[in-house]
């Protein structure tokens, strides 16, 4: 096979995040893009529109839309955003049931048409959906991962930059745990120009605490401002950074929802941990020392994720 052949990237779900993924994948020259959605002809419309930006942007990727899973055949990478948002009056169980049904269908089709692909799941509730995808598809654990931590860390980095005035380029952030308000942003392992946040001159513990809280509620803040839907630009950019690290074997370290086999004491679950992403997918999971307080916050987050897994069992999906 020609190793210079373009990658095929299929997006399952062509909604808000899906459309931005298509645009960014083309802009980053990741490969040719296929947009799949169950809504009739909509992905074809969005794909054609995005394809028509390529002559103007000077890009060579093709972008096609489809309502047929057969068109994702042979994909190198799949990014899943399929799902429905919580509607007024809908219980958590109703939402979980609906999205779990969608994810089961997606997993069966991805396994059928693109069993060798890397898979990045974005759909919520994230940690449960990536776990379900892996169980239903049976695809290799090191090739199936969830996007949440990159976004949460990006939010933390943005807030640190807003507070210190330092460019986001010189800021790193470390976030562990499940996606949601139990996530664990770790100031001790976050840096400004290489200086741990906790040592940064003039930054009080109160200010750090406020940024940690704002990060944990970062998704809700945007939902409240938008009034309809949830964040889509930064989530798309985050998944694209993960995709780039895998497809170009960059070996970057990102917080990702990964399958645990004893790391940090967790087994048979997906939760956000720092991972090295390269040509093999998840090439390494880093275990760092945590204080008793940090570990108990992570345990609390793991408990919430475990709860979702139990719900999936109770509802008959596992
Ligand atoms: O950090 C994170 N992981 C997240 C997750 C950050 C932000 C948003 N996050 C979640 O991503 C959000 O809660 C949703 O579950 C997904 C997708 O968000 P998006 O904003 O793109 O939602 P849309 O615009 O509603 O798009 C979802 C699309 C929509 O076009 C549906 O028609 C489609 O999913 N859909 C399906 N596609 C394929 N197959 C099936 N069965 C299907 N059902 C619905």
């Amino acid at each position: 096979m020609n190793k210079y052949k373009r990658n095929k990237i299929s997006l399952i779900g062509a909604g808000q995040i899906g459309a931005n993924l298509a645009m960014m994948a083309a802009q980053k020259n990741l490969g040719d893009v296929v947009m799949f959605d169950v809504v009739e002809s909509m992905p074809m419309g969005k794909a054609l529109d995005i394809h028509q930006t390529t002559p103007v942007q000077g890009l060579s990727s093709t972008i096609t839309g489809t309502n047929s899973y057969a068109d994702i055949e042979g994909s190198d990478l799949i990014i899943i955003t399929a799902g429905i948002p919580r509607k007024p009056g809908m219980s958590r169980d109703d939402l979980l049931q609906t999205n779990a049904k969608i994810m089961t269908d997606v997993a069966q089709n991805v396994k059928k048409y693109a069993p060798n692909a890397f898979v990045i799941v974005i759909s919520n509730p994230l940690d449960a959906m990536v776990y379900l995808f892996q169980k239903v598809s049976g695809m290799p654990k090191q090739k199936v991962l969830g996007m949440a931590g990159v976004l949460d860390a990006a939010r933390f980095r943005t807030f640190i930059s807003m507070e210190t005035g330092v460019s986001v380029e010189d800021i790193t952030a470390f976030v562990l745990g499940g996606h949601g308000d139990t996530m664990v942003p770790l100031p001790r392992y976050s840096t400004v120009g290489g200086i741990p946040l906790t040592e940064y001159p003039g930054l009080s513990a109160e200010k750090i605490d406020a940024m940690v809280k704002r990060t944990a509620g970062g998704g809700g803040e945007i939902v409240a401002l938008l009034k309809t839907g949830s964040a889509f630009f930064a989530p798309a950019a985050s998944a694209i950074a993960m995709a780039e690290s895998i497809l170009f074997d960059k070996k970057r370290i990102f917080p990702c929802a990964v399958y645990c086999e004893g790391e940090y004491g967790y087994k048979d679950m997906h939760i956000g941990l720092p991972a090295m992403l390269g040509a093999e997918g998840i090439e390494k999971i880093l275990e760092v020392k945590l204080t008793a307080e940090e570990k108990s916050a992570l345990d609390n987050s793991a408990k919430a994720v475990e709860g979702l897994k139990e719900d999936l069992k109770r509802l008959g999906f596992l």
Side-chain angles (χ1 to χ4, degrees), residues 271-288:
I271 193 162
L273 298 177
M276 186 166 87
L277 303 187
E280 307 295 321
I282 301 160
E283 298 192 350
K284 198 183 276 179
I285 297 174
L286 303 179
E287 285 194 79
V288 298

Side-chain angles (χ1 to χ4, degrees), residues 160-171:
I160 295 168
S161 171
M162 285 157 70
E163 183 60 44
T164 59
V166 175
S167 163
V168 289
E169 281 190 74
D170 291 327
I171 297 172

Side-chain angles (χ1 to χ4, degrees), residues 12-18 36-39 42 69 81-83 102 105 122-124 126 147-148 151 179 230-231 235:
I12 313 298
Q16 298 273 55
I17 299 179
F36 171 90
D37 204 289
V38 287
V39 179
M42 177 275 278
Y69 268 113
T81 58
I102 293 173
D105 180 53
I122 302 185
S123 313
N124 270 330
L126 190 269
M147 189 294 293
L151 172 64
H179 186 51
S230 50

Side-chain angles (χ1 to χ4, degrees), residues 106-185:
V106 172
Q108 284 161 348
N109 280 289
V110 169
K111 186 190 169 60
K112 179 168 173 198
Y113 292 105
N116 298 319
F118 294 98
V119 177
I120 300 174
V121 176
I122 302 185
S123 313
N124 270 330
L126 190 269
D127 306 273
M129 289 301 110
V130 61
Y131 181 82
L132 180 63
F133 178 93
Q134 201 281 321
K135 289 288 162 189
V136 173
S137 71
M139 285 165 67
K141 296 176 182 81
Q142 75 275 13
K143 292 181 90 172
V144 175
L145 58 164
M147 189 294 293
V150 179
L151 172 64
D152 300 328
R155 286 179 172 149
F156 197 18
R157 289 169 69 191
T158 307
F159 299 145
I160 295 168
S161 171
M162 285 157 70
E163 183 60 44
T164 59
V166 175
S167 163
V168 289
E169 281 190 74
D170 291 327
I171 297 172
T172 67
F174 201 88
V175 179
L176 295 175
H179 186 51
D181 43 21
T182 62
M183 76 176 74
V184 189

